[in-house]
Amino acid sequence: MATITFTLNGQPQSVEAEPRMPLLWVLRDLLNLTGTKYGCGMAQCGACTVHLDGEAIRSCLTEISAVAGRKITTVEGLGTLEHLHPVQQAWREIDVPQCGYCQSGQQMSAAALLARNAHPSDADIDTAMRGNLCRCGTYQMIRAAIHRAAELQALAVDAMALSPEGRV
Amino acid sequence: MNDLTLNRRTFLAASALAGGGFALGYRVALAAEESASSLEFNPFIRIAPNDTITLILHKPENGQGAVTSLCMLLAEELECDWERLTWEFAPVARVYGAPMQGTFGSSGIRSSWKPLREAGAKARLMLQSAAAERWNVDVAQTRTQNGRVLRNGSNDSFSYGELATAAAQLPVPETVTLKTPQQYRLIGKTTPRRDTLAKLTGQARYGIDMRVPDMAFAVLERCPVFGGTVQSFDAARTRAFPGVLDVVQVSRGVAVLASNTWAALEGRKLLDITWDFGPLATLSSARIREMQQALLKTPGAVARSDGDVDAAFAQAAKRVSATYEVPYLAHTTLEPPNATARIDASGAELWSGSQIPGLCQQGAMQVTGLPEERVKVHTLFIGGGFGSRGGGNVYSEAAEIAQVAGRAVNLLYSREDDVQQDRYRPCSLVQLDAALDAQGWPVALRGHVSCQHFQPLRNGIDREAVAGLADNDYAIAAQHFEYSPLELEVPTNFWRSVGASQNVYFMEAFLDEIAAAGNKDPLELRLRLLERAPRLRHALQVAAERAGWNTPLAPGRQRGLACVSCFGSHNAQVVELSVENGRVRVHKVTCAIDCGQVVNPHTVTQQMQGGIVYGLSAALYSEITLENGRVQQSNFHDYDALRMDAMPEIDVIIIPSDDPTPGGVGETATPAIAPAVVNAVAAAIGQRVRRLPVAKNLPAQA
Ligand code: FES
Ligand code: FES
C-alpha cells in the first residue's frame, strides 16, 4: 500500500492504494466516483476515459502510481449542473444518450479533442473517437454534438474576449 | 399485450398519501385470501400537495427512452405540468406485471399505451370532480390545463396539488374518454429525454454503481466449458492478495470477494481450480455444424405449408437453391452483467439493471428459498439490454454468493466473463429452395431451419427459430418450411429482434437471389410480392425513393435493400456501400419506418439508428466460436463492434401512419441491415455472402 496524492477535479486528493491498482478502480471503488465506467479493462472501449493533465487516457490501464502529483478530471468535474461544459450542453441539445453507459467516456474524449482542435473535421472525429464504443449506436448524434460543441465553445471564447473582465 | 390489465383480483383505486396528497394505483387481492385487509396497494401516480407529480415507472430503462415515453403517455391525459412531473422505478410487484414485469419484445410502450393513458385520464377527472365540489358546480363546468383545474367563465382555478387530498376521497371513475390523436399535445412531438442530464454528468446510477454498507466487490470464476463443475480448488494465493476478503464456492464456481474490483479480479487469477468439464468438453463449432447438416438431411417439424410445393417445383422453369448460416452471437452490452445482493434475517434485497426485474426476484427466491414478499428487487439504470438482461444467471449467482459468504456483494462479470459466459443468439443453418415460372417470378419457396431453440417447442416448433422466414409476407403461392431443433446445452437467449435477427437475413438475401435468377430488379420483385402487405410495401417505396434506388451511383458504390414487418412495425432499408481491398465500407443507410402512432419521434430515430448499428456490427464482424467446449473470443479485440470511423450516415424517415396505436421500435431496425448489406455486396462483387459475418466470409478476390 502507498499513499498517492494527486489533483482530482480541481481538489487535492490523497488515497491509500496498491500502486499497481488502475485509476479506474481507485475512482470507482475507493473514492466512490462512479461516473467513470468499466467496459473492457483493456483499452478497447473507452468507457473509462478521463483526463490526465488535460489529455484523454484510459483509466483502466493507468496505474495509480503514475498519477501521483498530476491532474485528473472525470466526468463529475467536466462541468457543473449550473455551468455545463460545451460538450455536455451540445450532448443535451442533441439529446444523445440512449442507455448512457458510454457517454461519460465519449464526452471526455470529445472534450479533450476540442481542447486541442477547436474545429475538428469528420476525419478528426473518426480518429479521436474510434476508441470509444457505443453499443447503443449513438455515433451519428455524437458526431453532430461534437460539431455543435465546437460552435458553443467558439461562442464562449468570443464572449470572453468581449467581456471587459475577461470572464463570462 | 396489456400487462396492466385489470382482472378480478386487481382494480384501480385511489388512496390518500400520508401527509396529504393523492395516489392512484392498483389494489390486488393476494392469491391466498381475498378479504379487504389482504389488499395490497401499489401506487402508479402520486400527486403531492406541493404539486409534484410522480409516475411510478413499471418498466425499466435500458436506453430505449421508456422513462420519457411513459411520462408522455401519462402527462398527455393527466394534463399536468410537464416540468413538475418526476418519476421513479417501481419495485417488483404482481400489479406491475411480475414475474414478467419488464421490457422485452419491443413492448414497453405498446403494453402501457392504454392503461397509462387511462390512469392519467381517471386521475384528471377525479381532480376535476374535487374542484367542482368546492365550487359547487358540475364537472362539465371545469377544464384542465397544465396542472390546474379551471372553472369555465371565471378566473378561478386550483392547482392539482391543492385538490389532491380531496380527490383521494372520491370514487375512481369506471370509464373515461381518451383523447383523439388530433387532441394530442405531447404524443407525437419530439420531447427531450428525462434521463439525459443524469447520464451526461455521471449522476445516473447503473447496477454496477450500486454500493451498500459493508458490501464486497465480487467476481466469480466459472467453468470455461458450459455445464462443468468445480472438482477441487486451492485459494491460498488468492487469499493472500491484498484486498481479498473471502473466497467461497457456489454452484457455478468459485467467488472471490474483495474490498475493490481490481483486487477481486487479480485475486481470481491466482485461483487454482480443478474442473470437471463435463460432457461438452469436446464440443466445437465444426462439430455443431456437422450436427446441423445432418439434421437438414432428415425431415423436420412443419412450420408452414401452403399450396402444392412439390408440384410447383416439378413444373418450375428454373430452380434456385442455397445454404445460409449465421454464428452464435454474444450481446456485449457496454455495461457488463452485474447484480448487488444483500441477505439478512429480514429477507433478501437485490439491486439490478434488469430488463425483467421480476425474473431477478424469481432467481433470488429459488436460491434463498424465501417467499416472494421477502425478496425485494430495486431497479437501476441499464447499460444496454438487447435481450441479454432478461433473467440470466447473475442475479441468482449474486444471491447465492451473498448467502454463502454472509455479506452483501456486488457481483460483476468482467468483459471476458461476459463474452465467454453469455447466453447466446443461436447459430443457425438453413437450406432454401425456390421455383420460378417461365417469366422469372417465384411460384414456390421451401426452407428448412436447423438451430437451437429459444423456448420450449410446441408441436415440434419454436416460432422464434423460424420467425421472419416462415411467416414472411410475400405472395408466393406455395410455401413449405420445416424446423429441426438442434438439442445442445450451449446456453441461448433472445438477442435484439430474436429469430428475425437471423431469419430476415436468410429470407431477404435469398429473395435477391431469386430476383437475380429471374432477371428482376429486387425492388420490383418485392413490390409485386407485397400487394397484400400495403404498409410494408409503402415503407419500401418510401425508402427506395429517398435513397434514389434507380438513380446512378458514385463510382465504386452499390446499393442493396431489404425489408421486414416485425414487432407491429414495418421497416425498409437501403444500403449504399463500396468494397475496397476486401473490406466492406457502408456509406449510407436509408431507413423508412412505419411504427403506427409515434410517441416520441426522437426516440424512434434513436432506436432506428441504434438497431441498425447493432445489426451492422454483427453482420460485419461478430462471431462466437467454440473449440474444446470453450468460447474462443474474450473481449472487444476479438469480438469487435462498429466504431465511429465505420459509422455510415443513417437517414431515418418516420412514415406518418393512420394506425392509432404504436408499434414496437426497439428491435425493428436490427433484422434488415444484414441482408441489405449482403445484397449490396453481391451487386458490388457478383457473389452472395451466405454466411455471416461478412468480414470473415467475403470471397478472397473481393
Ligand atoms: S474499460 Fe478502459 S477502455 Fe474499456
Ligand atoms: S448509449 Fe449505450 S453504450 Fe452508448
Side-chain angles (χ1 to χ4, degrees):
Chain A
M1 292 282 258
T3 306
I4 290 137
T5 307
F6 59 106
T7 304
L8 178 59
N9 295 330
Q11 302 292 321
Q13 176 73 56
S14 82
V15 64
E16 292 284 317
E18 285 298 313
R20 280 174 50 223
M21 190 189 293
L23 173 61
L24 171 65
W25 303 116
V26 172
L27 292 169
R28 290 185 51 82
D29 297 355
L30 305 190
L31 302 175
N32 208 14
L33 273 187
T34 55
T36 305
K37 302 303 189 202
Y38 163 80
C40 70
M42 58 182 296
Q44 291 290 314
C45 79
C48 66
T49 307
V50 300
H51 294 174
L52 173 67
D53 295 335
E55 290 287 330
I57 56 145
R58 309 292 182 225
S59 65
C60 66
L61 288 189
T62 307
E63 293 181 2
I64 187 64
S65 55
V67 168
R70 302 176 72 177
K71 287 198 187 71
I72 294 294
T73 307
T74 69
V75 71
E76 289 92 345
L78 187 61
T80 63
L81 277 183
E82 297 72 39
H83 286 283
L84 292 177
H85 185 280
V87 159
Q88 291 168 313
Q89 281 178 46
W91 249 248
R92 191 181 191 190
E93 267 182 37
I94 292 175
D95 219 0
V96 174
Q98 290 187 33
C99 86
Y101 192 78
C102 71
Q103 300 295 343
S104 304
Q106 304 279 4
Q107 292 183 108
M108 297 311 285
S109 290
L113 166 66
L114 287 165
R116 64 177 145 64
N117 179 349
H119 293 284
S121 66
D122 280 339
D124 297 334
I125 292 173
D126 284 348
T127 312
M129 302 302 293
R130 79 169 308 282
N132 287 83
L133 278 177
C134 175
R135 290 292 282 143
C136 298
T138 63
Y139 299 120
Q140 185 159 317
M141 293 193 189
I142 288 174
R143 186 187 300 281
I146 293 175
H147 288 307
R148 176 65 183 143
E151 282 172 23
L152 291 170
Q153 183 175 267
L155 287 174
V157 171
D158 286 353
M160 207 179 304
L162 287 176
S163 98
E165 308 90 37
R167 294 188 289 122
V168 188
Chain B
M1 258 305 160
N2 285 350
D3 53 14
L4 290 170
T5 26
L6 309 186
N7 56 34
R8 193 169 56 83
R9 295 166 187 274
T10 315
F11 50 92
L12 202 56
S15 167
L17 288 174
F22 159 62
L24 187 67
Y26 290 96
R27 270 195 202 290
V28 195
L30 295 174
E33 323 113 68
E34 291 198 26
S35 65
S37 62
S38 73
L39 295 183
E40 174 185 291
F41 182 68
N42 290 87
F44 204 33
I45 311 167
R46 281 200 305 261
I47 303 180
N50 71 0
D51 286 330
T52 304
I53 299 181
T54 309
L55 170 61
I56 321 296
L57 209 73
H58 67 298
K59 296 283 177 190
E61 173 65 68
N62 52 22
Q64 79 286 42
V67 165
T68 311
S69 298
L70 299 189
C71 282
M72 288 170 74
L73 298 187
L74 177 75
E76 182 70 67
E77 290 291 345
L78 186 55
E79 292 274 349
C80 60
D81 179 352
W82 179 250
E83 301 303 323
R84 306 297 302 263
L85 178 63
T86 62
W87 59 275
E88 61 190 45
F89 289 122
V92 170
R94 295 252 155 168
V95 283
Y96 301 123
M100 289 309 285
Q101 176 178 343
T103 301
F104 48 89
S106 297
S107 66
I109 290 179
R110 286 186 288 162
S111 62
S112 313
W113 174 244
K114 200 159 165 262
L116 249 183
R117 288 182 308 139
E118 275 181 2
K122 288 181 178 174
R124 174 172 44 80
L125 198 53
M126 291 166 79
L127 292 160
Q128 277 181 276
S129 302
E133 253 173 45
R134 282 204 198 167
W135 287 319
N136 208 3
V137 299
D138 193 78
V139 182
Q141 297 304 307
T142 68
R143 63 189 196 280
T144 52
Q145 195 185 336
N146 214 24
R148 298 190 78 82
V149 181
L150 292 80
R151 183 176 167 185
N152 292 349
S154 84
N155 288 330
D156 295 349
S157 74
F158 291 113
S159 77
Y160 284 2
E162 290 168 326
L163 297 165
T165 308
Q169 309 306 323
L170 299 175
V172 179
E174 289 282 317
T175 55
V176 279
T177 312
L178 298 178
K179 290 183 182 177
T180 62
Q182 292 71 33
Q183 294 171 309
Y184 292 153
R185 290 165 200 262
L186 279 169
I187 292 173
K189 311 223 167 26
T190 280
T191 306
R193 288 178 59 143
R194 313 287 315 237
D195 51 347
T196 293
L197 195 57
K199 289 174 175 178
L200 299 184
T201 51
Q203 304 307 313
R205 197 196 284 248
Y206 298 81
I208 196 173
D209 304 325
M210 192 61 210
R211 307 286 182 259
V212 299
D214 300 321
M215 180 195 95
F217 295 88
V219 292
L220 176 61
E221 182 73 359
R222 302 165 190 81
C223 185
V225 177
F226 301 121
T229 50
V230 176
Q231 219 164 50
S232 64
F233 73 99
D234 177 357
R237 290 172 66 217
T238 303
R239 288 183 185 278
F241 192 86
V244 170
L245 301 169
D246 201 358
V247 179
V248 295
Q249 186 178 347
V250 289
S251 37
R252 284 177 44 89
V254 179
V256 179
L257 287 72
S259 59
N260 63 78
T261 311
W262 181 69
L265 289 166
E266 291 296 305
R268 182 171 69 164
K269 288 183 195 160
L270 303 172
L271 282 173
D272 186 0
I273 305 179
T274 307
W275 299 103
D276 174 353
F277 291 120
L280 295 190
T282 55
L283 192 66
S284 68
S285 289
R287 175 76 194 109
I288 293 171
R289 200 170 183 213
E290 284 167 16
M291 293 163 75
Q292 289 175 299
Q293 283 164 341
L295 283 168
L296 291 186
K297 294 203 177 83
T298 57
V302 177
R304 172 177 180 175
S305 200
D306 296 349
D308 192 340
V309 173
D310 292 338
F313 271 91
Q315 291 155 21
K318 198 168 190 179
R319 294 180 194 93
V320 192
S321 290
T323 308
Y324 278 83
E325 66 182 297
V326 294
Y328 286 108
L329 294 176
H331 297 79
T332 57
T333 56
L334 201 58
E335 178 193 16
N338 62 78
T340 300
R342 177 169 69 193
I343 297 173
D344 58 26
S346 64
E349 227 171 334
L350 263 86
W351 291 262
S352 83
S354 166
Q355 286 179 255
I356 313 181
L359 290 180
C360 311
Q361 188 187 37
Q362 300 288 318
M365 282 159 57
Q366 267 164 25
V367 165
T368 59
L370 288 166
E372 192 175 298
E373 59 276 14
R374 287 180 61 202
V375 179
K376 265 200 214 144
V377 177
H378 306 274
T379 299
L380 299 159
F381 277 119
I382 305 178
F386 316 131
S388 69
R389 291 190 216 260
N393 295 315
V394 65
Y395 313 105
S396 47
E397 287 170 350
E400 189 183 358
I401 295 167
Q403 189 167 48
V404 174
R407 70 187 302 161
V409 293
N410 183 334
L411 171 67
L412 175 68
Y413 275 50
S414 68
R415 179 59 62 196
E416 289 77 9
D417 297 337
D418 174 45
V419 171
Q420 304 192 325
Q421 303 283 343
D422 195 5
R423 296 178 302 152
Y424 304 88
R425 197 286 304 273
C427 61
S428 185
L429 183 71
V430 54
Q431 171 65 40
L432 293 167
D433 309 283
L436 279 62
D437 66 15
Q439 287 73 46
W441 301 111
V443 289
L445 186 60
R446 193 159 56 197
H448 189 173
V449 172
S450 160
C451 74
Q452 283 180 261
H453 40 104
F454 297 86
Q455 49 201 1
L457 300 179
R458 275 206 199 159
N459 300 325
I461 301 290
D462 171 6
R463 281 281 144 206
E464 283 299 339
V466 292
L469 189 59
D471 56 359
N472 73 76
D473 288 316
Y474 294 114
I476 299 173
Q479 299 202 34
H480 183 88
F481 290 94
E482 292 182 12
Y483 170 60
S484 292
L486 172 66
E487 298 295 353
L488 206 58
E489 296 303 310
V490 178
T492 60
N493 194 9
F494 298 155
W495 187 98
R496 199 172 192 169
S497 80
V498 199
S501 74
Q502 67 240 31
N503 290 319
V504 174
Y505 158 59
F506 302 149
M507 180 71 224
E508 291 292 292
F510 189 60
L511 196 60
D512 263 39
E513 295 205 53
I514 294 172
N519 211 8
K520 305 288 183 238
D521 176 79
L523 175 64
E524 178 198 6
L525 175 67
R526 284 177 177 79
L527 292 179
R528 176 181 163 112
L529 297 179
L530 288 174
E531 289 289 356
R532 279 174 290 150
R535 290 175 71 178
L536 182 58
R537 189 173 191 276
H538 181 59
L540 194 56
Q541 283 172 314
V542 170
E545 179 160 343
R546 177 78 152 241
W549 179 255
N550 288 315
T551 61
L553 281 149
R557 295 209 178 180
Q558 292 295 342
R559 292 191 190 101
L561 60 76
C563 62
V564 64
S565 297
C566 55
F567 306 100
S569 295
H570 313 274
N571 179 230
Q573 295 176 23
V574 178
V575 155
E576 193 175 315
L577 56 70
S578 53
V579 183
E580 294 151 25
N581 310 319
R583 290 175 69 99
V584 173
R585 170 74 220 226
V586 180
H587 302 283
K588 187 166 180 185
V589 182
T590 305
C591 168
I593 174 76
D594 172 354
C595 55
Q597 172 68 53
V598 171
V599 176
N600 189 354
H602 178 69
T603 312
V604 174
T605 304
Q606 284 187 317
Q607 290 305 305
M608 292 302 108
Q609 293 182 356
I612 288 169
V613 169
Y614 201 70
L616 188 55
S617 283
L620 292 178
Y621 315 121
S622 306
E623 178 174 36
I624 290 290
T625 54
L626 299 177
E627 197 59 57
N628 297 323
R630 292 157 166 84
V631 169
Q632 291 178 287
Q633 294 71 27
S634 64
N635 205 317
F636 291 118
H637 66 291
D638 55 9
Y639 191 81
D640 205 2
L642 196 86
R643 293 169 180 275
M644 180 65 92
D645 57 348
M647 176 69 188
E649 177 197 344
I650 299 178
D651 183 13
V652 176
I653 307 112
I654 301 175
I655 298 171
S657 172
D658 297 336
D659 186 342
T661 54
V665 291
E667 301 170 270
T668 312
T670 301
I673 187 67
V677 164
V678 163
N679 290 340
V681 167
I685 65 170
Q687 269 176 283
R688 196 80 41 186
V689 176
R690 297 199 183 107
R691 183 179 184 179
L692 295 181
V694 172
K696 290 188 189 147
N697 294 289
L698 209 57
Q701 71 275 20

